[in-house]
């Protein structure tokens, strides 16, 4: 069973960075959480992982809110500075919290960074970081690990095994805890700063090559299975 996308509704929200847009995919039955996820700097909410989560999570009691930042709503081609992205996300938060449910802040790539930077300030229940851009391609010395480690709430990272913005093995161990890394199945334990699930052979867009030992459908399933399990542990 998958969510009927025809039941989705859209809402335009004014922010200090300009109008933003939320596409709501309501939970089936009694909702338990809102998962608010935004796009990256190079694409929109049509990204394969975001679309798959919107189709799958509602059947598990999670309302999915796909967030389009003001620059995308305005039709611009290039994302603004991180400070402006954070401003847009903050302006959206009251609308995301309006249902009165715990809100998981999430995003892919640049959207994941925004979620990490603002989670504690906004009172997010947790953070979902899809394809977290640990560093620019080929520049591991320019690490953004501090943003991830500073989220301050339970965090799930879903990362492609061949992501040039940071392969799973490059992610830091956390002092005082440990990081769980796995492939098709994630395992939760006490004391981890964040949990990392690897999508084998996948790139930054979580696409897998034809020669990979996993199909594209299976790769997307790794993402949705991990998020379903993890979301269930938050309530």
């Amino acid at each position: 069973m998958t969510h009927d996308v025809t039941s989705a509704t859209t809402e335009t929200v004014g922010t200090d960075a300009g109008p933003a847009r939320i596409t709501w995919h309501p939970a089936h039955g009694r909702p338990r959480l809102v998962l608010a996820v935004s796009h990256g700097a190079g694409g929109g909410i049509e990204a394969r992982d975001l679309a798959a989560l919107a189709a799958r999570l509602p059947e598990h009691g999670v309302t999915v809110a796909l967030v389009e930042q003001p620059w995308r709503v305005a039709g611009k081609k290039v994302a603004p500075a991180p400070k402006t992205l954070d401003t847009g996300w903050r302006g959206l938060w009251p609308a995301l919290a309006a249902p009165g449910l715990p809100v998981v802040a999430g995003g892919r790539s640049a959207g994941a960074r925004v979620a990490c930077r603002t989670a504690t300030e906004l009172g997010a229940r947790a953070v979902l970081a899809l394809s977290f851009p640990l560093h620019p391609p080929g520049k591991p010395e320019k690490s953004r690990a501090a943003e991830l480690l500073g989220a301050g709430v339970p965090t799930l990272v879903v990362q492609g095994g061949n992501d040039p913005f940071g392969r799973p093995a490059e992610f830091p161990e956390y002092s005082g805890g440990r990081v769980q890394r796995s492939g098709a199945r994630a395992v939760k334990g006490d004391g981890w700063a964040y949990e990392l699930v690897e999508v084998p052979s996948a790139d930054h867009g979580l696409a897998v090559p034809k020669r990979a030992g996993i199909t594209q459908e299976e790769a997307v399933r790794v993402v949705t299975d991990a998020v379903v399990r993890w979301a269930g542990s938050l309530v």
Side-chain angles (χ1 to χ4, degrees), residues 161-162 198-203 206-219:
N162 287 325
E198 178 178 348
V199 183
S201 303
D203 62 14
L206 298 178
V208 295
K210 291 182 178 180
R211 65 182 182 279
I214 182 174
T215 67
Q216 189 62 64
E217 182 179 355
E218 289 169 338

Side-chain angles (χ1 to χ4, degrees), residues 128-173:
L128 172 62
L130 302 164
S131 298
F132 186 84
L134 186 64
H135 57 70
K139 298 180 179 179
E141 71 280 2
K142 295 187 176 181
S143 176
R144 297 155 179 157
E147 292 180 353
L148 176 63
L149 296 176
V153 296
T155 300
L156 174 66
V157 178
V158 181
Q159 200 77 5
N162 287 325
D163 190 336
F165 287 83
R167 291 170 174 78
E170 296 180 75
F171 277 71
E173 298 293 337

Side-chain angles (χ1 to χ4, degrees), residues 84-164:
T84 302
L85 294 177
D86 292 354
T87 296
W89 187 251
R90 289 188 187 99
L92 282 156
W93 196 260
L96 297 170
L101 298 167
V103 181
V104 175
R108 72 162 356 269
S109 194
R113 295 181 64 194
V114 173
C116 288
R117 288 193 298 260
T118 60
T120 302
E121 166 195 347
L122 296 175
R125 172 66 182 86
V127 164
L128 172 62
L130 302 164
S131 298
F132 186 84
L134 186 64
H135 57 70
K139 298 180 179 179
E141 71 280 2
K142 295 187 176 181
S143 176
R144 297 155 179 157
E147 292 180 353
L148 176 63
L149 296 176
V153 296
T155 300
L156 174 66
V157 178
V158 181
Q159 200 77 5
N162 287 325
D163 190 336

Side-chain angles (χ1 to χ4, degrees), residues 4-91:
D4 180 5
V5 295
T6 62
S7 65
T9 60
T10 59
E11 175 184 4
T12 300
V13 180
T15 79
D16 287 345
R21 187 161 51 227
I22 304 171
T23 300
W24 292 96
H25 294 263
H28 302 168
R30 183 179 179 182
R32 300 179 293 117
L33 289 170
V34 170
L35 171 61
V37 282
S38 187
H39 50 79
I45 59 172
E46 71 281 355
R48 58 172 54 86
D49 47 355
L50 303 188
L53 291 173
R56 176 107 186 266
L57 271 289
E59 68 187 82
H60 294 277
V62 179
T63 290
V64 178
L66 299 182
V67 173
E68 293 174 88
Q69 280 268 4
W71 70 273
R72 286 285 298 187
V73 175
K76 296 179 180 178
K77 303 294 186 182
V78 179
K83 181 178 180 180
T84 302
L85 294 177
D86 292 354
T87 296
W89 187 251
R90 289 188 187 99

